Amino acid sequence: MAKWELFGRLWNLNRESASRASEWGAGPMEADKQHLAYLRSLHKERREADAGIDLPLHDLEVVVVDLETTGFYPNHGDAIISIGAVAMRGEKLLLGDSFYTLVNPNRTIPPHITKLTGISNEMAADAPDLVTSLSRFFQYVGNRPLVAHHSRHEREFFRSAFWKMGRRPFTHRTLDTMLLIRLLSSPIGNGSLDALCAMHDIPISRRHHAYCDAVAAGTLWGKYLVKAQEAGYTNLREVYEQLR
């Protein structure tokens, strides 16, 4: 994908996310209440999100997600500053079914994070807050499982956010790309996204941009999903049983 096409897509995704705010009610207070109510209801839907465990791998629909954050420790005050995601069916990226938003962290973004991600305090100040961003994101996700590379980072930030917003657990099924990678190969070092993408000739359009990293992680997931099928695995349940 040409770089100007990619960033044109990201601009449109951001505008589309912002425009959805009007769907929630007439005023900001009412919208906030509805976003929060939606997030509090999500833990009840876990069974539906688990339904894909027996689907054939070539039909499995997931959403690959990446977060950019102010640091690594949500319980010590670090916060999400952007969410990027792309849907997949089997090994195919569905680039027309994507999500991206900046998030206002309500705290200062450290200079080294701005340098790494390109997200400044001025940019984040105009972004939707965490409740609004997560509500829009999980409406987009629906019942599809999440996939992330080294997913502990995403899990911890989602868990922290759900607990702070409503004392609710984060229960949405979240898969790690390393699940298949460790099953089917010997990853380099700690299995960094950079190293694995380089090994498989997967370009990363812009490293440490949530959407670009999600696309790269999705491409990697797709390659190993094909390897899993070639090795005789037909669904996620068989993968889990092998790893026990």
Side-chain angles (χ1 to χ4, degrees):
M1 180 186 297
K3 189 167 289 188
W4 69 269
E5 292 178 319
L6 172 63
F7 289 104
R9 183 186 298 277
L10 294 177
W11 171 252
N12 287 328
L13 286 171
N14 230 345
R15 292 182 65 190
E16 288 167 8
S17 293
S19 71
R20 293 190 189 109
S22 62
E23 300 171 6
W24 285 84
M29 292 297 292
E30 184 63 24
D32 288 346
K33 290 178 182 177
Q34 292 191 47
H35 283 304
L36 189 56
Y38 176 77
L39 290 171
R40 286 173 172 170
S41 73
L42 285 179
H43 74 288
K44 299 176 183 178
E45 301 175 5
R46 180 176 179 177
R47 287 185 181 178
E48 294 179 26
D50 284 350
I53 193 169
D54 291 313
L55 275 178
L57 292 178
H58 61 80
D59 288 331
L60 179 65
E61 292 192 22
V62 301
V63 170
V64 186
V65 61
D66 184 83
L67 303 180
E68 296 301 332
T69 58
T70 61
F72 296 105
Y73 306 106
N75 293 329
H76 294 167
D78 286 319
I80 298 169
I81 56 175
S82 69
I83 306 171
V86 61
M88 297 185 69
R89 182 178 298 111
E91 67 273 17
K92 296 179 181 178
L93 287 165
L94 306 177
L95 295 178
D97 187 2
S98 300
F99 181 94
Y100 179 76
T101 187
L102 295 175
V103 182
N104 187 335
N106 288 315
R107 58 152 292 174
T108 301
I109 300 173
H112 71 281
I113 297 296
T114 294
K115 184 176 180 181
L116 185 71
T117 65
I119 300 172
S120 66
N121 289 298
E122 292 75 18
M123 294 164 65
D126 294 329
D129 64 15
L130 181 63
V131 170
T132 302
S133 299
L134 285 183
S135 176
R136 292 174 184 165
F137 174 63
F138 281 101
Q139 287 180 76
Y140 156 75
V141 172
N143 296 324
R144 297 175 291 191
L146 296 175
V147 171
H149 188 67
H150 288 308
S151 63
R152 181 177 178 180
H153 181 73
E154 281 69 24
R155 287 174 192 268
E156 290 302 312
F157 276 89
F158 285 144
R159 282 173 180 164
S160 176
F162 273 72
W163 188 251
K164 288 176 182 176
M165 288 186 296
R167 295 297 187 265
R168 296 293 196 277
F170 173 67
T171 58
H172 201 96
R173 180 177 289 280
T174 305
L175 308 171
D176 198 314
T177 54
M178 296 302 294
L179 178 79
L180 295 181
I181 292 168
R182 291 196 175 106
L183 177 65
L184 298 162
S185 68
S186 299
I188 301 170
N190 67 351
S192 73
L193 185 63
D194 299 276
L196 287 162
C197 284
M199 184 171 72
H200 292 285
D201 297 319
I202 299 171
I204 307 178
S205 299
R206 181 178 163 190
R207 189 70 170 98
H208 299 296
H209 186 291
Y211 178 74
C212 298
D213 284 356
V215 170
T219 305
L220 189 64
W221 170 261
K223 286 184 179 293
Y224 277 88
L225 208 65
V226 171
K227 290 177 183 288
Q229 292 172 81
E230 291 172 347
Y233 298 98
T234 62
N235 56 44
L236 284 178
R237 187 180 299 278
E238 293 175 358
V239 171
Y240 288 141
E241 288 174 353
Q242 180 64 32
L243 290 170
R244 282 178 183 171

